[in-house]
Amino acid sequence: MEGLVSLLDKQHEARVRAIWRVLKEQFGVTALLQLVPIPHISYYVAEHIDVNQMQAPLHVIAQQASPFAARATGLGLFTHPHLVLYIPVVRSVALMALHGVLRPSFAAAAINPVRYYEADRWLPHITLAQGDLDHEKLAPALRWFLQKPIDWEITVDNVALMGGEPGDMQQVHRFPFQPPIST
């Protein structure tokens, strides 16, 4: 699987990695670290993305985009076909606009896109646990999270292509946004 994502800023990447460590050490949840070892927000996912076809459009989009704040708050759970624990990211105007502007380039370069990332289904999120999360591990993990409220303001300042096989997922290309010009 390959994806079009925004990598988290350093502060929130560190927070997610700290949560991943707790999930691993206290609750035995480790599969996500093997599947996707880079904290991110996904816009689109497909079986394959033609990286060469995506580079020029993503470069242009990143040159025209400015960094913006996104709110991540609470916890969520996808239940089918496997349990996935995540932090929801609010579908703000800026986040939806970025999702929309990425769509045409992604559609042209994607093979077998995952439908959950279409605008009418997309639920932006930061994945915390996936793969080996089960009901026995979920209950104590949720009790731990009740003591750790999550309400973050994340700076979205890039788009990136991630790809590879499960267990070898990596950032392929990162396109930083241009900071606003101050006068």
Side-chain angles (χ1 to χ4, degrees):
M1 297 301 273
E2 297 173 329
L4 186 54
V5 306
S6 281
L7 304 176
L8 299 187
D9 59 50
K10 297 284 186 211
Q11 174 189 8
H12 294 95
E13 176 183 351
R15 287 180 175 182
V16 170
R17 288 188 185 282
I19 291 170
W20 286 353
R21 276 191 300 280
V22 168
L23 289 170
K24 176 182 178 183
E25 293 168 5
Q26 292 187 26
F27 308 108
V29 177
T30 63
L32 181 64
L33 299 174
Q34 298 159 3
L35 295 171
V36 185
I38 304 170
H40 64 277
I41 301 167
S42 297
Y43 300 105
Y44 293 102
V45 173
E47 182 180 310
H48 177 71
I49 301 171
D50 183 336
V51 173
N52 293 328
Q53 190 172 348
M54 287 294 300
Q55 286 189 45
L58 289 180
H59 179 74
V60 169
I61 290 167
Q63 291 293 312
Q64 296 173 350
S66 294
F68 61 91
R71 171 92 30 216
T73 186
L75 283 177
L77 186 67
F78 296 128
T79 59
H80 182 76
H82 305 287
L83 294 177
V84 177
L85 185 64
Y86 63 89
I87 301 169
V89 178
V90 176
R91 286 175 57 141
S92 66
V93 171
L95 199 62
M96 290 302 296
L98 180 57
H99 187 263
V101 79
L102 293 170
R103 172 82 179 106
S105 299
F106 171 81
I111 297 172
N112 294 330
V114 177
R115 294 206 32 154
Y116 290 121
Y117 295 88
E118 293 296 324
D120 63 337
R121 294 179 175 205
W122 180 53
L123 182 62
H125 64 280
I126 302 163
T127 303
L128 298 176
Q130 175 180 346
D132 61 348
L133 180 65
D134 59 28
H135 293 93
E136 290 178 18
K137 295 175 184 175
L138 178 62
L142 288 177
R143 282 191 291 279
W144 180 82
F145 276 106
L146 289 174
Q147 306 305 311
K148 312 287 183 203
I150 297 171
D151 188 19
W152 300 342
E153 185 172 291
I154 298 170
T155 300
V156 177
D157 63 1
N158 70 85
V159 291
L161 288 165
M162 286 179 57
E165 298 300 318
D168 190 30
M169 187 70 64
Q170 57 190 311
Q171 172 189 324
V172 178
H173 295 282
R174 182 178 183 274
F175 301 86
F177 295 169
Q178 297 303 305
I181 298 172
S182 57
T183 55

